Amino acid sequence: MNYILDDGIAVISLDDGKANAVSISFVELLNSYLDQAEQEASAVIITGRTGMFCAGFDLKAFQQGAEVADKLVAGGMAMLTRLYEFPLPVIAACDGHAIGMGAFLLMASDNRIGANSDFQICLPETSISMPFTPVLLALIHDRISIAEKTMAVVQSKRYSPAESIAAGFLDKLVDQNSLMEEAKNLAKDLSALPKEYYCMNKRSLRKASLECMHADLK
């Protein structure tokens, strides 16, 4: 994972050379970068690499015992909640697979721009015998379209980038070569909005969901 400040925009790039799996160290590092962004940035862009945005939780951590697994899940849920109420605009620029927690990172972002390329977005929980937490369900109810909820959530459907727009995972597709330019232009436009009221109105709009999410973190 890497952080750069580009003309006031914090760009957080996920790239471990593998699946960009969400581990305890992933959560800690992303939180530290969000801390930094709050101090110096006007908007945040989260991106992966070509072919891989994020493939979800690091399943190896779940093999290390209940204590490690519980810490990872708790940290992941707190991370998603923080992103969903983050005071600055959060834009996801996706040009690769977003599976499980990867898809939830998209859902927790304010705006989701996808590259018109070859990847899949999926909630695999049913297919891998895992439940959805209240935090995840709150994001699902807010972001996934009614028409697609059963297929996306219960049936673990794999969505192409084009299909992901109607489902609610992405907002728009752009040419692969212009993905980051589009994300940065949007970040600059959103940065021009009054910061205090952006945060206030975001949290007011999502108040009921955020209350459910915070209740689950206790």
Side-chain angles (χ1 to χ4, degrees):
M1 194 182 301
N2 184 53
Y3 176 104
I4 62 170
L5 187 68
D6 183 2
D7 195 21
I9 308 301
V11 181
I12 300 174
S13 302
L14 315 177
D15 188 3
D16 62 4
K18 303 175 187 176
N20 293 338
V22 177
S23 62
I24 290 173
S25 61
F26 178 111
V27 172
E28 292 174 345
L29 190 53
L30 182 58
N31 274 316
S32 72
Y33 286 156
L34 292 176
D35 290 341
Q36 189 171 346
E38 282 198 65
Q39 297 299 315
E40 64 183 12
S42 57
V44 173
I45 295 173
I46 299 176
T47 190
R49 67 175 187 278
T50 299
M52 181 58 69
F53 182 72
C54 172
F57 272 130
D58 182 0
L59 298 181
K60 293 180 180 178
F62 293 107
Q63 301 170 4
Q64 298 177 30
E67 184 176 349
V68 173
D70 289 347
K71 181 179 179 180
L72 175 55
V73 172
M77 297 308 104
M79 177 184 70
L80 291 174
T81 302
R82 182 181 187 186
L83 279 172
Y84 203 46
E85 65 179 356
F86 200 67
L88 304 177
V90 178
I91 299 161
C94 181
D95 184 21
H97 300 304
I99 310 299
M101 280 292 285
F104 284 108
L105 285 172
L106 296 178
M107 283 188 264
S109 300
D110 298 338
N111 300 80
R112 297 81 48 84
I113 305 175
N116 191 10
S117 56
D118 184 19
F119 60 87
Q120 295 184 332
I121 299 178
C122 176
L123 303 179
E125 278 76 3
T126 296
S127 65
I128 60 175
S129 304
M130 291 186 69
F132 290 97
T133 69
V135 167
L136 303 181
L137 289 171
L139 289 171
I140 286 168
H141 287 306
D142 279 4
R143 306 314 295 264
I144 301 302
S145 69
I146 293 173
E148 295 290 329
K149 272 193 172 74
T150 295
M151 289 180 286
V153 179
V154 180
Q155 298 171 352
S156 299
K157 177 179 175 178
R158 292 182 173 270
Y159 290 84
S160 69
E163 293 171 330
S164 296
I165 295 175
F169 292 111
L170 296 175
D171 299 313
K172 64 182 289 188
L173 292 182
V174 299
D175 183 78
Q176 187 177 36
N177 294 327
S178 64
L179 177 62
M180 288 307 297
E181 180 182 0
E182 292 274 352
K184 289 176 182 178
N185 287 339
L186 177 58
K188 290 177 183 178
D189 288 344
L190 295 177
S191 297
L193 295 170
K195 181 177 178 181
E196 178 183 356
Y197 285 92
Y198 188 95
C199 175
M200 180 188 303
N201 289 334
K202 177 198 285 194
R203 292 177 178 178
S204 295
L205 176 66
R206 301 172 179 176
K207 181 179 179 181
S209 295
L210 288 168
E211 287 176 349
C212 291
M213 295 165 84
H214 278 288
D216 187 46
L217 300 181
K218 295 178 180 179

